Amino acid sequence: MLNLSTPSTGPILTPNPNTKTPFRLKISTIKLLKPISTKPPRLRCQYSDQQQQQRTDAPKVFIGHSIYKGKAALTVEPRPPEFAPLDSGAFKLTKEGFILLQFAPAAGVRQYDWSRKQVFSLSVTEIGSLISLGARDSCEFFHDPFKGKSDEGRVRKVLKVEPLPDGSGHFFNLSVQNKLINMDESIYIPVTKAEFAILISAFNFAVPYLLGWHTFVNSIKPEGTTGLNNANSRSGADLEWSR
């Protein structure tokens, strides 16, 4: 008896003894398997505010704004706030975000020596001082990175923001004295009115995020506020004057 067959993925051929022809094709129905989806898996991660337990994972994004001048360059970068988990499953703000200023001296025409950069971290309050700065106003910030430690006073950083003599902008001047490595350096860069306006606009936008308030706003759900409002039925005025 002749028995021809194809691989398991094709039809099966079997002879028919009741016919004069050598054989007849008998097609057996083959059950097709459900095709495997080629759609990539959806990644989940825990978001920092953790009020929403799972969200689509998002890639890290590095941003900044730079100002380049003949003698120096200034790069401005935001740094996010930090949170700590509580036993209840909620999260609490443990550290506010800040704005990192990086000053690099020029090493040639349109070249800057970032290996010699000096950094200064602006707190939210210091950012507020810059935002409220007038065209003829100036401000000064002092930082000691080792304050409260054994090396307190060994490193001194002073950032001065002063108006240019012609009123066209401000000078940003960062002076760093580091007695640990016998270094004393000052880097300054003029910032025009337009450049200063861009910085102030970015600072205004960033402050609520540096405070972590966006995580609270994102956690608000209509169904989650009803019980809280009913439990605290007194008006806002009552709560204020009862203190």
Side-chain angles (χ1 to χ4, degrees):
M1 178 181 293
L2 177 63
N3 184 14
L4 300 178
S5 62
T6 64
S8 59
T9 57
I12 300 176
L13 307 180
T14 57
N16 189 345
N18 298 325
T19 182
K20 294 182 181 181
T21 56
F23 60 87
R24 185 176 67 185
L25 297 178
K26 183 178 180 182
I27 302 177
S28 299
T29 302
I30 297 178
K31 186 177 180 181
L32 297 178
L33 297 176
K34 184 179 179 180
I36 300 175
S37 175
T38 58
K39 187 178 179 180
R42 190 177 182 183
L43 301 178
R44 295 281 187 176
C45 71
Q46 283 190 322
Y47 190 44
S48 60
D49 59 22
Q50 294 300 315
Q51 300 299 325
Q52 297 177 354
Q53 294 297 323
Q54 287 185 331
R55 286 187 175 183
T56 303
D57 192 14
K60 285 187 176 182
V61 178
F62 298 95
I63 60 172
H65 177 67
S66 298
I67 299 174
Y68 300 100
K69 296 298 172 71
K71 294 185 177 181
L74 169 63
T75 295
V76 181
E77 298 178 0
R79 290 292 187 267
E82 297 179 4
F83 300 84
L86 302 177
D87 294 337
S88 63
F91 275 69
K92 180 181 179 180
L93 179 74
T94 57
K95 183 180 180 181
E96 294 179 348
F98 58 92
I99 297 292
L100 181 66
L101 305 182
Q102 301 183 70
F103 295 78
V109 179
R110 296 184 179 181
Q111 295 181 347
Y112 303 91
D113 188 355
W114 292 100
S115 65
R116 293 174 53 202
K117 72 178 181 181
Q118 299 294 337
V119 300
F120 194 93
S121 299
L122 289 174
S123 67
V124 173
T125 302
E126 291 169 338
I127 294 171
S129 297
L130 286 177
I131 291 175
S132 61
L133 207 63
R136 293 293 181 179
D137 296 334
S138 61
C139 60
E140 180 177 326
F141 308 117
F142 168 75
H143 284 187
D144 182 349
F146 297 101
K147 186 176 182 180
K149 301 179 181 179
S150 59
D151 287 330
E152 181 175 352
R154 306 292 298 276
V155 178
R156 175 186 175 90
K157 294 185 177 183
V158 179
L159 175 64
K160 294 181 179 181
V161 181
E162 300 174 316
L164 293 171
D166 59 358
S168 61
H170 285 81
F171 261 125
F172 278 64
N173 187 356
L174 177 61
S175 299
V176 179
Q177 294 179 339
N178 190 334
K179 297 179 181 179
L180 298 175
I181 58 175
N182 295 321
M183 184 268 293
D184 190 348
E185 187 166 9
S186 180
I187 304 175
Y188 67 91
I189 180 172
V191 177
T192 66
K193 283 184 177 180
E195 293 166 338
F196 191 72
I198 294 298
L199 293 179
I200 298 306
S201 178
F203 291 168
N204 276 303
F205 177 83
V207 165
Y209 294 89
L210 301 180
L211 292 171
W213 282 36
H214 65 293
T215 59
F216 169 74
V217 174
N218 293 339
S219 71
I220 297 176
K221 296 180 180 179
E223 65 275 12
T225 58
T226 303
L228 179 62
N229 291 336
N230 290 337
N232 299 277
S233 58
R234 293 186 297 170
S235 67
D238 292 339
L239 293 174
E240 174 69 20
W241 292 110
S242 63
R243 293 182 179 180

